[in-house]
Every structure is written in structure tokens, then in C-alpha cells.
Amino acid sequence: MSSLPAHTPIQSPPPLTLHALRASCSACSMHQLCLPMGLDQGDMQRLEQVINRRRKVKRDESLYRLNDKFDMLYAIRLGHFKTFQGNTNGGQQITGFQMAGELLGMDAIGAGHHLCEAVALEDSEVCEIPFTRLEELFRDMPTLLRQFHRMMSLEISREQRVMLTLGSMTAQQKMAAFMLNLSSRYASRGYSSTRFQLRMTREEIGNYLGLAVESVSRLLTNFKKTGVIEVNHRDVELCDLAALRAIALGNDPCA
């Protein structure tokens, strides 16, 4: 099956049928983390009618590319993504890893075009939300507008924490903080906070944290030797969260 283009024209949403409702926001396991949080049933149905469609994105396929025109927000329903920009060496600089329940595309609201590229790390699915129609709902639904502002604030805060992490931490602290960040995000989605699979490669982790891939592998091996984590390929178990938090704060209990 051929890949969808990175930019797809807006289409009119299909009528809200019983089948569509059963597969809609209210039935989605991520809706308490996404835009519908706090909406009553009537407002939920209004939002559902704005959502264009669910779009499947194959692994390594672009959801959108740098400088694509902005007209959609994308709520991740299933899967994981990475966002990246070009760097001065002609390569990629990964700016974030996103997972189910998060919105993609908010960085383009002000500029009117996307400032990075978003690529699926595995077969994923997003809900397409035309931004002009969403803005119309904001005027009538203050709860939805507050939730959107909350999600934007969380995204800004997360990016600020990442900047502090990359700028002031040692390599060991960066890796510990990265694992703890994944742990808390999975926990908020009802998944295990201590056992999960890394959807990104060692190279991608290193690119994001500003570390060589050899450093990433060495740090994971050291964490494993000291009993802080157990790692087998991409499967990770956080065996000692307290020790991991201490490392992230610069108080390595094994030092």
C-alpha cells in the first residue's frame, strides 16, 4: 500500500453515524489526556464532528514535513512519533518524542507552516483536527479552549525542562532523567511506570540528548550493572526508581 502524502487537503467530515460514535473520542482510551478531557457529552459530540478522520501512519512515514502549510492538528491515538529539524551538518536534530494522548503540530500555529518534521517510530494512528474549525468551537466552548491552553502549557513546560536537561546535566543525569520522563508519561496513560519498550533507537536517544551512541550504550550497560535498570534490546525495566531519581539529581548512590 502506498504511503499517504505528508500534507493532505482538508476533507469534509463524514456524518456522525452510530459506528463512528463507537469509534470516537468518547470511546478512545486516550480521551482523558487529549482535547476532550472535561467536556460533557454534547460538547464531545460537537468535537467529534470536527475531527476529519483517523489517519494511519506507517513506521518511518512522515506525518508532515518542514515548511508544510499548517491547517491541521494531530491527536496521537496510537503509536509514537519523533519530531526533528535539520542541523548545520545536514543531518537531523531530534526535538522530541511524542506518544498517544499528545498533540502534534502546535508549533506551527503562529508561523502558519510546520517548523519541523514528524515521523512515526512505529505503525501509528492520529486523529486529524482542522484548526480553523477547532477555533470556531473555542468561541462557544470555553472548557475546550482551557484544555487546549493547558496542553500548550504542558508542551512549553516540557520543552523548557528538556533545554535545562541538555544544558546543565552530565551524560549520566541526562539518561536517568530521560528514563524517568518516559516512566511518568507511561504511568499517566495507565501503563506500567517501570516496564516498557523503547520505541526509539540508541542513535535517536543520543541525538535527542546530545550524546554519542556509544555513550548511550555505555550508560545503559552501567545502569544495568548497578541494578538500577534491566535492559534487553529495547525492553526496559526500571528496577530502582529511587536510585534513578538520585542519579538524575546528581546524587548517584553508586558513586
Side-chain angles (χ1 to χ4, degrees):
M1 184 167 57
S2 61
S3 297
L4 290 167
H7 174 71
T8 305
I10 295 179
Q11 302 172 355
S12 298
L16 194 63
T17 63
L18 178 60
H19 174 75
L21 276 174
R22 285 174 177 162
S24 63
C25 292
S26 55
C28 177
S29 63
M30 290 295 113
H31 85 273
Q32 287 299 329
L33 290 169
C34 198
L35 274 175
M37 189 180 79
L39 300 184
D40 61 29
Q41 191 60 36
D43 286 345
M44 184 88 78
Q45 290 189 21
R46 291 181 67 188
L47 177 60
E48 287 164 353
Q49 292 181 70
V50 164
I51 295 173
N52 259 12
R53 61 169 179 166
R54 289 181 181 172
R55 173 174 162 186
K56 296 184 183 297
V57 188
K58 294 290 186 181
R59 180 181 178 181
D60 295 328
E61 179 185 335
S62 293
L63 177 64
Y64 53 79
R65 295 189 172 90
L66 178 68
N67 291 325
D68 277 355
K69 181 183 176 183
F70 169 69
D71 48 30
M72 295 273 191
L73 289 176
Y74 302 92
I76 304 174
R77 185 172 180 272
L78 300 169
H80 292 71
F81 287 80
K82 67 176 179 180
T83 51
F84 61 88
Q85 299 173 331
N87 59 28
T88 55
N89 298 322
Q92 296 179 5
Q93 175 57 59
I94 295 175
T95 57
F97 298 109
Q98 298 79 23
M99 60 179 67
E102 296 175 352
L103 287 179
L104 280 167
M106 287 192 290
D107 63 300
I109 293 174
H113 60 86
H114 289 285
L115 304 178
C116 61
E117 183 166 349
V119 171
L121 293 173
E122 60 184 337
D123 289 352
S124 303
E125 186 174 296
V126 299
C127 298
E128 294 184 332
I129 309 172
F131 189 66
T132 53
R133 297 191 65 191
L134 185 63
E135 285 185 304
E136 293 171 3
L137 287 186
F138 287 158
R139 289 192 286 269
D140 301 326
M141 297 165 59
T143 301
L144 181 63
L145 181 58
R146 285 195 298 272
Q147 168 64 354
F148 183 71
H149 286 162
R150 188 188 76 88
M151 296 187 76
M152 289 191 71
S153 176
L154 289 173
E155 179 64 21
I156 292 169
S157 297
R158 182 161 57 238
E159 289 183 355
Q160 288 176 339
R161 287 195 299 270
V162 168
M163 289 177 64
L164 290 172
T165 297
L166 296 182
S168 62
M169 286 184 168
T170 66
Q172 186 170 243
Q173 287 178 288
K174 290 179 183 180
M175 182 58 65
F178 178 73
M179 290 295 180
L180 289 170
N181 176 269
L182 290 178
S183 171
S184 64
R185 290 163 74 188
Y186 282 127
S188 70
R189 286 152 177 77
Y191 302 126
S192 172
S193 63
T194 57
R195 301 188 71 173
F196 48 84
Q197 188 178 79
L198 297 174
R199 264 53 179 203
M200 61 292 293
T201 65
R202 304 287 197 271
E203 289 85 356
E204 288 167 332
I205 294 172
N207 182 294
Y208 178 61
L209 296 178
L211 302 173
V213 63
E214 295 82 7
S215 297
V216 172
S217 296
R218 184 175 63 254
L219 287 164
L220 292 175
T221 298
N222 290 342
F223 284 175
K224 181 176 180 178
K225 285 180 179 178
T226 55
V228 176
I229 70 171
E230 186 62 45
V231 58
N232 182 21
H233 300 294
R234 294 197 181 191
D235 294 321
V236 173
E237 180 179 1
L238 308 184
C239 304
D240 193 338
L241 283 174
L244 205 58
R245 293 189 188 102
I247 293 170
L249 292 171
N251 303 315
D252 184 357
C254 299

